[in-house]
Amino acid sequence: MSFPFLSAPAQAQGRKIPLVRDAETEELLRDYALPIFKVAGIASSKPDIILVNDKSYNAFVPDSGRMFINVGVVMESETPNEVIGVIAHETGHIAGRHLVQLRSAAANAAIMSVIGMLLGAGAIAAGASSGQGGISQGGVAAAAGSGAIGQRSFLAYRRGQEAAADKAALRYLEATGQSGKGMLTTFRRFADEQMFSAKFVDPYAVSHPMARDRYRSMETAAGQSPYFNKKDPASLQFRHDMVKAKLFAFTSHPNAVARAYPRSDSSLPAQYARAIAAMKTRRRDAIRDVDSLIRQLPDNPYLYELKGQILLEGGDPRAAVAPFRKAVSLRPNEGLLLIWLGYALVGSNDASALPEAERILRKGIQQDPNSRIGFSQLAIAQARQGKQADADLSTAKGLMVSGDFEAAKRYAARAQKKLKRGTPAWLQADDIVSYKPPNLGKR
C-alpha cells in the first residue's frame, strides 16, 4: 500500500474524493461483503468497494455499482462484525434501489417547492389587486416557506430509507449467521457523539434518524437473533487487526504509531505497524522488521508486497522484483500486485525485462482496469520498446481513468495517426477521441 503511489481523485456526488488503493484491505472488505451481497441478491452485479482516504467513520453508495468506505471505518472498528454491519446497511440501499427512488423523491420535493412558490405568488398578486396588504404578506410567507416544506418532505423520505436499510441489514446478518451487535456498537458510537449537540438539532431537519433512536429501534430485533453473541472467526479477526494496524501506520506519524503499538507489544499487528512506520524514515530497519514478519507468516503475500514497496521507493527496483514476484505467485490474479511487479521491472532499467513487464502490466490492467499507474507504466514499457503508438494509446487510457479527458483525446488522436485504421487499437483510440463526458450538472 502507498498513499502517494496508489491514491487517485474521483468524482462522486459533485466533489473530488481522495481514494486509496490497497490490495490487502480490498480483499478483506470483499470477503466481508460477499456473503451479504449473496443473500441480498446483488452478488452477480459485483458492486465495487472503494476505499476513501478519510479517517472519519462513514460510508455511502452513489449508485448501484459502487460502495465507498472510509478507511476510518476499519481503523475505528474493533471487530470485523462492526464493518460488516456498515456494509450490510449500505447493501440495503443498493438492494432496495434507494438511489433511484431518492432521485424521484428529490424531484417531487422540488416540485412541491415550485408549487408552493406559485401559490404564494398568486396570493401576492391577489393582494396587490385588491389592496389587501395582509393577503400580500401571507403570500410572501407562503413563497418563503414552500422550499422548507419540500426540503422537509425530502428529508423525511431519506430518514425512511435509512430505517429501511437498517432493517434490511439485520435480515442479511441473520441470513448469513452473523450478529447484529456490530451495528449496535456503531449506533452507540454515533449516539455518544450526538449527545452534546442533539438538543440543538431539529429531528425533522436531518437526513438520517437520530442515532439513539436508531439504536433503540434495532436493539430488540438484534438481541432476538440466535447469532447475537456469536463472535467473528479468529482468522478473520486476525486479518482485521492486521489491516487496521496497516491503515493506522500508513495514515499516522511514526511517533503516533510508536505510542499505539509500542515495542512492548509483540503481536503481529503491532510488528506490522512498526515496520510500516520505519519505512518512512529507517528503511534498513523496515526491511529487517518485514523479514521477521515473513519468517512468521511465509504465505502472506502482502508482506512481500510491503518489502517490494520499501525497496522500490528506496531506489532499488531491481531488488524489489523478487518480493513482488513472490507476492504475485501467492495471489496470481490480484491486479495491484501484478502492477507493482510490472512497475519494478520497468524501473529496473533492464531492456530484456521490458517484454515481461508489458505482459504483466497488461494482465494487471485486465484485473484492475482503473489503475492509472498501471497504464502509465505500460506506456513507458511500450515506448522503450519502440511501440510509440501503443504507448500513446496507453497514456490516453490512463488519462481517461484519471478524468483528464481533453489530454486523453490528444494522446488518442496522436496514436490514431500511427495505427492501422480499423484495428482494435485504432478503434479504442477512436472511442476516446469521440468520447463526450456526461453533463452531471444538468437533468
Side-chain angles (χ1 to χ4, degrees):
M1 177 182 199
S2 170
F3 277 70
F5 167 51
L6 290 178
S7 293
Q11 284 292 133
Q13 296 182 338
R15 61 188 179 90
K16 286 187 176 181
I17 299 176
L19 305 185
V20 60
R21 301 299 310 280
D22 178 62
E24 183 177 16
T25 307
E26 290 174 7
E27 181 185 56
L28 180 65
L29 293 176
R30 285 196 300 268
D31 288 348
Y32 285 165
L34 186 57
I36 300 295
F37 287 172
K38 284 182 177 179
V39 298
I42 63 170
S44 59
S45 63
K46 296 179 181 178
D48 290 329
I49 296 181
I50 302 170
L51 282 171
V52 180
N53 187 11
D54 188 324
K55 289 186 177 183
S56 64
Y57 201 103
N58 194 24
F60 64 93
V61 288
D63 50 49
S64 62
R66 295 175 296 170
M67 183 183 298
F68 289 80
I69 298 180
N70 287 4
V71 295
V73 171
V74 179
M75 290 169 61
E76 290 190 34
S77 296
E78 294 297 327
T79 67
N81 187 244
E82 292 174 46
V83 182
I84 293 168
V86 171
I87 292 173
H89 172 86
E90 298 303 330
T91 299
H93 284 307
I94 295 175
R97 301 183 75 248
H98 289 174
L99 276 301
V100 175
Q101 297 168 16
L102 195 63
R103 293 187 185 99
S104 176
N108 289 339
I111 290 169
M112 185 179 295
S113 297
V114 171
I115 291 172
M117 291 183 70
L118 290 173
L119 288 173
I124 292 171
S129 62
S130 64
Q132 296 177 12
I135 295 177
S136 175
Q137 291 173 2
V140 172
S146 58
I149 293 170
Q151 182 186 47
R152 286 194 174 218
S153 175
F154 174 65
L155 291 173
Y157 186 83
R158 283 203 62 185
R159 290 194 298 273
Q161 285 192 331
E162 293 299 326
D166 289 344
K167 291 178 181 178
L170 286 180
R171 291 198 305 272
Y172 303 150
L173 293 169
E174 177 91 15
T176 53
Q178 300 184 87
S179 173
K181 189 177 289 187
M183 288 187 68
L184 293 180
T185 299
T186 297
F187 291 140
R188 190 184 301 117
R189 178 190 294 112
F190 289 161
D192 290 343
E193 292 173 357
Q194 288 180 351
M195 182 170 60
F196 296 106
S197 58
K199 64 181 180 180
F200 302 110
V201 175
D202 179 354
Y204 298 103
V206 294
S207 62
H208 289 55
M210 298 299 286
R212 191 159 298 283
D213 293 336
R214 294 175 82 178
Y215 180 89
R216 289 170 181 161
S217 68
M218 294 182 63
E219 185 177 19
T220 301
Q224 289 174 343
S225 169
Y227 308 108
F228 184 70
N229 291 313
K230 183 178 179 180
K231 292 187 177 181
D232 297 302
S235 59
L236 200 62
Q237 182 67 57
F238 173 71
R239 290 174 63 194
H240 177 87
D241 293 341
M242 289 289 281
V243 167
K244 181 176 178 177
K246 181 181 197 176
L247 294 175
F248 183 83
F250 266 114
T251 59
S252 305
H253 190 277
N255 291 342
V257 176
R259 289 191 297 270
Y261 297 96
R263 287 283 171 187
S264 58
D265 185 348
S266 60
S267 68
L268 289 169
Q271 293 180 52
Y272 201 17
R274 291 195 295 266
I276 294 167
M279 71 180 283
K280 299 178 181 179
T281 55
R282 299 175 285 108
R283 293 188 185 276
R284 188 172 298 178
D285 291 344
I287 292 293
R288 180 201 64 206
D289 291 346
V290 174
D291 282 340
S292 175
L293 280 165
I294 288 173
R295 286 192 293 272
Q296 299 171 80
L297 298 169
D299 296 326
N300 186 322
Y302 305 113
L303 297 178
Y304 297 100
E305 178 196 23
L306 180 61
K307 182 175 181 178
Q309 182 181 341
I310 295 169
L311 292 166
L312 182 63
E313 294 183 352
D316 195 353
R318 288 198 179 203
V321 170
F324 282 140
R325 201 181 293 282
K326 178 64 175 178
V328 168
S329 72
L330 293 166
R331 288 289 189 280
N333 295 316
E334 176 51 66
L336 289 177
L337 297 184
L338 288 161
I339 289 166
W340 270 123
L341 176 56
Y343 194 152
L345 287 167
V346 170
S348 67
N349 289 321
D350 180 357
S352 66
L354 290 173
E356 182 189 11
E358 181 178 2
R359 176 178 58 80
I360 287 173
L361 285 164
R362 284 186 181 278
K363 183 179 179 182
I365 290 168
Q366 285 178 349
Q367 299 294 328
D368 191 347
N370 294 318
S371 173
R372 178 181 57 84
I373 294 295
F375 282 115
S376 67
Q377 292 301 308
L378 177 60
I380 294 170
Q382 290 167 330
R384 289 180 182 176
Q385 295 177 84
K387 304 176 181 179
Q388 192 56 53
D390 292 335
D392 287 341
L393 180 56
S394 295
T395 299
K397 290 178 179 178
L399 290 166
M400 287 292 288
V401 167
S402 64
D404 191 347
F405 303 129
E406 292 305 313
K409 288 172 182 286
R410 289 196 298 272
Y411 274 95
R414 194 163 81 177
Q416 258 192 321
K417 293 177 182 178
K418 303 170 188 175
L419 293 167
K420 185 177 179 180
R421 188 179 186 87
T423 61
W426 187 93
L427 292 172
Q428 290 171 18
D430 192 57
D431 285 342
I432 295 173
V433 171
S434 305
Y435 177 73
K436 294 182 180 180
N439 190 344
L440 300 177
K442 294 182 179 179
R443 298 185 62 83

